[in-house]
Amino acid sequence: MSSRRISRHARVRTIATVATVCALSAAPLAPRAVAADSDPPYTETYRPQFHFTPEKNWMNDPNGLVYYKGEYHLFYQYNPGGNSWGDMSWGHAVSEDLVHWKQLPLALSYDDQEMVFSGSAVVDWDNTTGFGSETNPPMVAVYTSYDKATGKQAQALAYSTDRGRTWTKYQGNPVIDIGSTDFRDPKVQWYAPTRSWLMTVSLSTGHKVRFYSSKNLKDWTLLSDFGPSGATGGVWECPDLFPLAVDGDKKKIKWVLVVNVNPGGIAGGSAAQYFIGDFDGTRFTAEDKGTYTPPAGTVVQDFEGTDFGSWTTTGTAFGQAPAAGALDGQGTVDGFDGKGLANSFHSGDGTTGTLTSPEFTVDSEYLNFKVGGGRHPHMDGTVPEQGPPPAGTVLADFEGGTYGDWTTTGDAFGTAPATGTLPDQQEVSGFLGGGLVNSYLGGDSTTGTLTSPEFTLDKDYVNFLVGGGNHPAGSDTPTAVELIVDGTVVRSATGQDAEALNWASWDVKDLAGKKAQIRIVDDNTGGWGHINVDQIMLSDTQARPMSQETSVNLLVDGKVVRSATGSNSETMDWASFDMRPYLGKKAQVQLVDMNTAGWGHILADTFTAADTPAKSVLQRADWADHGKDYYAAVSWENVPDGKRYMIGWMNNWDYAGSIPTSPWRGAQSIPREMALRTIDGRIRLTSKPVNSVASLRQDPASTTGITVTNTSEPLTGAAAGKALDIEATFALKDAERFGLKVRTGAGGEETVIGYDTTTQELYVDRTHSGAVDFNNSFPGVQTAPLKADNGKVKLRILVDWSSVEVFGGSGEAVITDQIFPDPAGQGVRVFAENGSVRLDKAVVWHLDSAHT
């Protein structure tokens, strides 16, 4: 269950890992305060109007999806006490149509001993458990019990005999306990051929799904394991197994195994992977997709020589020659070709440097290569080394030997600033002068706060240096720097699990003239449970952080135009740069290692000029959704007419704790009807919004038969809105890219939903969709493979106050993304780039609120 997200972060090259709550992978910059306390419920800025959200507090994974006596039950991971992850319990809502939801009281609560993690629910029609009766069969929840004392995860039961309104935990819990801290998210169903219950559950860090059988839900027999397979860049969670007819033929049944992955999804962070195959009652067997052969091409660098040849190095990370595999202290390196590769682990993760090719003329459409090592992407705006701070007003430089008029609580910060590295701490660097804030006093086990006096925000930016643990504000146990205005945390930042301090900056132009305070918080007693801070200042210039990337970059005119990175793995995988925009131009390839923390190195090999792109394991895997915000996807049991409806948490653990919503945080996707269709000769899992969404449609606006050339233009005025259902069909002409722009507004705000004919991909670009600065991984472009059908591209787009869901073709290409635009931005435009496209027809419906 992504809920308690027990993710893993490598701290040392031995691949020793420290378990942390998944929500703690959230981001460095926290959100703006967006809703006044006086806003009526469900009218707040960014509040979804036809997606389920709790009235207040934190929500993540959908749980316990079952249909019973006319109601679809949606349970969900819920914190009854606040707007961040913690005290995981099961919230509860019901619906008669999967669109209009009624929130019910808390179903399963945490207690002093356990948190209630993800799971499923069934109707025990034959009363196999004895929890009900023949005339009143019980509803039974099967959930992961998280032992708060030991961290162990086991499977447990609770039951209800009043349609899920009240619940009793089974006295014989747990019903399966293998002594593991990574054993979670049971999905249970009735398997008719053996007249028994079937459980599908995750061995998360092992990248395996395990199957169990039971006659009574209490006593379970191990059947088999599946995996590792497909995408394994993160933990496997929230599995689901179900049968579907292929192309509607009930005589041709295939089984679908959904496995949610975090991180390491197709768009980065969290995502829902699936496998198609067969289940024989004991074992799931995925269809064999064969071995992968990369495109042929001309190898331009294979690192097989005794030196780097004409490639040049800086620093010491890459050594003087290619490596022959793993270096001293490094785990096993595999996936490279031949005998040599570029490997920046020389002398460990603490070294930095670059390896740069000579300049060349781009004469091939793609540059394919193998990459591995750390996942530290290139970030625009970074600099190679720390320069002097921008001019401004220093609020605190911690140089005076005391904290002055700052106030402390707890014991983590001591009575005075530190002068550098503390006992038993790794070397601290990057601070200015002789003093800094360092909450490692007494080790990671100490906690406390350090708060500034009040000051006026009279410049555009707050700049400061920060390092230490990556535990953002909004997580259960933060190590964070917070900006407080009117008693509310409106900005925050955290470290990156590294002792080196780096510049962070908050844009506070919208808070000009406000009174504020800085609060530095250390509430974490685990690994990296401390924070380092220095040189807090107000400035009209934004500080530029030093690069901390481990990446392979393509430079054109001295600027990085393409970049790839590893996936925190020593196993190398294919990556590809699209070189077509740069044909005939001069370029260089540069390998960069500017990171000195865990996974602070990069691997690269076999640079090959080719006519087609190589595909990575992620690209070769199958995904239920290619967006950033569809995770923990599971389906309802016992649905009428045998339909299969699925829903996912519309968020991503990369930034889940930092999205700018209040007093709630977390939304569910629109429920989707799933099907298997043969597309381009291959069986694919497809989805479409449930039909009942149409019940919200009002005031359609139609546009037909227009050709757009090298421009964008608004659809009819009636098409504008914040909550829309759009169906559009385009006829290809010669435009390279075309589509619709939604939520357009002042200052260039827009969310672009397009099709790229050169790559045959659907895409969503949210880089200018409004508030995007609360996390480095939030802005970006998500893509999904989609071939035109007889020269046509069909799109179904659901736009809500803070999301877009795009269904391309027959539903084989789906992209779900959160957006946080200005409420005034409600325009819809059609566009074409580098040519023309014909919009055959577009119908835009306004959608009523499901809350009314």
Side-chain angles (χ1 to χ4, degrees):
M1 78 167 269
S2 60
S3 63
R4 67 333 200 144
R5 254 3 57 216
I6 307 296
S7 63
R8 300 262 174 178
H9 302 276
R11 288 188 56 186
V12 292
R13 192 71 348 264
T14 57
I15 313 186
T17 52
V18 178
T20 64
V21 173
C22 180
L24 303 187
S25 60
L29 294 182
R32 303 179 175 96
V34 295
D37 292 340
S38 58
D39 288 340
Y42 300 104
T43 66
E44 305 95 340
T45 305
Y46 306 144
R47 172 70 82 165
Q49 295 301 292
F50 57 93
H51 293 81
F52 177 76
T53 53
E55 181 175 339
K56 63 180 181 179
N57 297 344
W58 170 276
M59 174 183 71
N60 53 286
D61 304 2
N63 297 154
L65 306 181
V66 68
Y67 179 83
Y68 185 48
K69 291 188 175 180
E71 293 179 324
Y72 293 92
H73 289 265
L74 168 63
F75 301 91
Y76 49 90
Q77 289 291 282
Y78 184 65
N79 179 0
N83 202 15
S84 59
W85 187 95
D87 291 340
M88 283 295 97
S89 306
W90 277 24
H92 190 194
V94 293
S95 173
E96 295 180 0
D97 64 357
L98 292 170
V99 172
H100 297 85
W101 292 95
K102 177 183 179 182
Q103 186 172 340
L104 297 177
L106 191 69
L108 299 177
S109 177
Y110 77 98
D111 57 33
D112 290 341
Q113 285 75 45
E114 73 169 3
M115 284 195 282
V116 183
F117 283 177
S118 289
S120 53
V122 296
V123 179
D124 184 10
W125 294 104
D126 295 331
N127 194 31
T128 62
T129 56
F131 293 152
S133 65
E134 291 184 6
T135 56
N136 186 24
M139 187 183 294
V140 181
V142 189
Y143 67 92
T144 295
S145 171
Y146 173 79
D147 188 312
K148 294 165 75 170
T150 66
K152 298 292 180 63
Q153 300 174 13
Q155 314 319 317
L157 306 179
Y159 60 92
S160 171
T161 55
D162 59 359
R163 297 166 49 242
R165 269 54 180 182
T166 61
W167 290 83
T168 302
K169 292 181 181 178
Y170 174 46
Q171 291 299 306
N173 282 338
V175 294
I176 310 179
D177 184 357
I178 63 172
S180 173
T181 57
D182 296 290
F183 176 51
R184 53 182 177 263
D185 312 336
K187 178 64 188 291
V188 174
Q189 62 188 286
W190 181 252
Y191 186 69
T194 58
R195 294 196 55 78
S196 58
W197 299 103
L198 172 65
M199 179 190 291
T200 306
V201 64
S202 175
L203 302 175
S204 58
T205 57
H207 306 116
K208 292 183 179 182
V209 170
R210 177 163 287 183
F211 302 102
Y212 289 90
S213 179
S214 174
K215 294 295 185 182
N216 59 9
L217 292 174
K218 300 173 182 177
D219 304 297
W220 293 90
T221 301
L222 174 63
L223 296 176
S224 65
D225 290 347
F226 170 81
S229 185
T232 57
V235 293
W236 278 18
E237 299 181 317
C238 302
D240 194 5
L241 178 71
F242 51 86
L244 284 175
V246 178
D247 300 320
D249 183 355
K250 294 185 178 180
K251 295 182 179 178
K252 186 178 181 182
I253 300 294
K254 285 289 184 180
W255 286 76
V256 180
L257 176 63
V258 175
V259 180
N260 292 271
V261 183
N262 176 69
I266 182 61
S270 315
Q273 176 182 206
Y274 72 88
F275 302 89
I276 295 173
D278 297 298
F279 182 72
D280 62 5
T282 299
R283 186 176 302 276
F284 175 81
T285 304
E287 291 189 337
D288 186 358
K289 298 170 71 174
T291 57
Y292 177 67
T293 301
T298 302
V299 176
V300 295
Q301 173 61 278
D302 57 10
F303 299 111
E304 292 299 297
T306 57
D307 57 28
F308 288 124
S310 56
W311 289 49
T312 58
T313 63
T314 65
T316 60
F318 291 93
Q320 300 301 311
L327 297 168
D328 290 345
Q330 188 174 22
T332 302
V333 174
D334 55 32
F336 62 98
D337 296 326
K339 297 180 179 179
L341 75 153
N343 184 345
S344 73
F345 195 74
H346 285 82
S347 300
D349 278 331
T351 53
T352 61
T354 64
L355 176 61
T356 308
S357 77
E359 192 173 64
F360 61 94
T361 300
V362 177
D363 59 3
S364 65
E365 295 192 348
Y366 294 91
L367 181 66
N368 300 329
F369 54 95
K370 288 191 167 183
V371 64
R375 184 193 290 114
H376 304 289
H378 169 79
M379 296 294 178
D380 289 335
T382 58
V383 293
E385 59 186 26
Q386 187 185 86
T393 303
V394 177
L395 296 176
D397 59 10
F398 306 106
E399 293 299 301
T402 73
Y403 287 126
D405 47 6
W406 288 54
T407 58
T408 63
T409 66
D411 51 5
F413 296 94
T415 59
T419 57
T421 307
L422 294 172
D424 299 322
Q425 186 176 25
Q426 298 176 35
E427 182 181 358
V428 176
S429 61
F431 60 99
L432 300 180
L436 77 154
V437 173
N438 183 345
S439 73
Y440 193 75
L441 187 67
D444 279 330
S445 62
T446 54
T447 61
T449 65
L450 177 64
T451 306
S452 77
E454 195 171 65
F455 59 92
T456 301
L457 291 167
D458 58 3
K459 296 187 183 299
D460 290 347
Y461 298 95
V462 179
N463 299 323
F464 52 95
L465 291 163
V466 62
N470 182 0
H471 308 292
S475 65
D476 203 29
T477 52
T479 54
V481 187
E482 300 174 338
L483 180 67
I484 301 172
V485 175
D486 296 330
T488 299
V489 176
V490 295
R491 303 285 191 278
S492 72
T494 188
Q496 298 295 319
D497 288 350
E499 301 294 11
L501 284 75
N502 203 359
W503 283 109
S505 185
W506 295 321
D507 183 336
V508 293
K509 291 191 284 289
D510 60 319
L511 300 171
K514 294 271 192 180
K515 297 290 187 181
Q517 289 177 286
I518 299 286
R519 181 171 63 198
I520 305 172
V521 180
D522 176 356
D523 196 29
N524 194 293
T525 60
W528 286 108
H530 65 279
I531 188 162
N532 308 326
V533 182
D534 195 16
Q535 202 68 21
I536 302 171
M537 58 188 302
L538 297 170
S539 177
D540 287 328
T541 303
Q542 189 169 21
R544 298 179 67 186
M546 290 187 300
S547 169
Q548 294 183 332
E549 66 196 274
T550 54
S551 58
V552 179
N553 296 332
L554 178 70
L555 279 63
V556 176
D557 296 329
K559 296 181 180 179
V560 176
V561 296
R562 295 280 189 268
S563 186
T565 190
S567 59
N568 289 352
S569 172
E570 306 292 17
T571 297
M572 301 179 70
D573 194 10
W574 284 105
S576 183
F577 289 155
D578 183 349
M579 310 289 279
R580 291 172 299 171
Y582 314 110
L583 287 170
K585 294 189 175 184
K586 297 292 186 180
Q588 288 177 288
V589 172
Q590 185 173 67
L591 280 57
V592 181
D593 175 358
M594 298 302 295
N595 197 291
T596 60
W599 287 107
H601 63 280
I602 187 80
L603 314 172
D605 194 20
T606 320
F607 287 85
T608 306
D611 295 331
T612 54
K615 292 184 177 182
S616 67
V617 168
L618 284 184
Q619 292 169 313
R620 303 195 306 267
D622 290 314
W623 302 94
D625 194 298
H626 282 71
K628 291 279 280 191
D629 294 306
Y630 188 73
Y631 190 62
V634 287
S635 65
W636 270 272
E637 294 298 323
N638 197 41
V639 171
D641 300 322
K643 291 184 179 294
R644 183 61 56 170
Y645 297 130
M646 179 168 278
I647 193 170
W649 177 45
M650 199 159 57
N651 213 335
N652 190 307
W653 282 115
D654 276 357
Y655 43 74
S658 297
I659 59 171
T661 64
S662 179
W664 85 101
R665 187 168 283 140
Q668 303 295 347
S669 74
I670 204 70
R672 302 167 183 188
E673 183 176 348
M674 312 305 292
L676 289 178
R677 303 180 191 277
T678 303
I679 297 172
D680 199 26
R682 192 163 69 88
I683 300 173
R684 303 279 297 280
L685 181 66
T686 66
S687 59
K688 66 176 184 178
V690 290
N691 292 334
S692 48
V693 172
S695 69
L696 302 176
R697 288 174 169 177
Q698 300 289 332
D699 306 323
S702 296
T703 301
T704 57
I706 64 169
T707 298
V708 183
T709 305
N710 294 328
T711 189
S712 75
E713 58 187 60
L715 293 182
T716 58
K722 294 195 294 180
L724 304 171
D725 188 350
I726 304 172
E727 293 184 358
T729 301
F730 291 88
L732 273 62
K733 293 174 75 70
D734 62 350
E736 290 186 3
R737 289 171 297 279
F738 60 83
L740 297 173
K741 299 180 179 183
V742 301
R743 299 302 305 269
T744 64
E749 273 198 15
E750 61 184 15
T751 298
V752 183
I753 299 162
Y755 184 77
D756 189 325
T757 61
T758 69
T759 59
Q760 300 184 84
E761 288 178 326
L762 177 70
Y763 67 90
V764 172
D765 182 346
R766 67 177 181 189
T767 54
H768 301 289
S769 66
V772 299
D773 63 348
F774 53 86
N775 183 273
N776 288 337
S777 66
F778 185 83
V781 181
Q782 282 64 252
T783 64
L786 178 65
K787 290 189 175 182
D789 185 7
N790 293 320
K792 308 274 188 179
V793 172
K794 293 184 178 181
L795 302 178
R796 171 85 180 275
I797 304 166
L798 298 182
V799 182
D800 207 340
W801 285 14
S802 56
S803 65
V804 292
E805 291 167 287
V806 184
F807 301 81
S810 299
E812 70 270 26
V814 186
I815 297 176
T816 299
D817 276 352
Q818 294 181 96
I819 56 172
F820 301 104
D822 188 314
Q826 301 184 28
V828 180
R829 303 178 69 90
V830 59
F831 76 93
E833 297 177 3
N834 297 329
S836 302
V837 71
R838 176 183 169 86
L839 177 60
D840 280 355
K841 184 176 182 179
V843 183
V844 181
W845 289 271
H846 294 263
L847 293 183
D848 279 351
S849 173
H851 304 307
T852 57

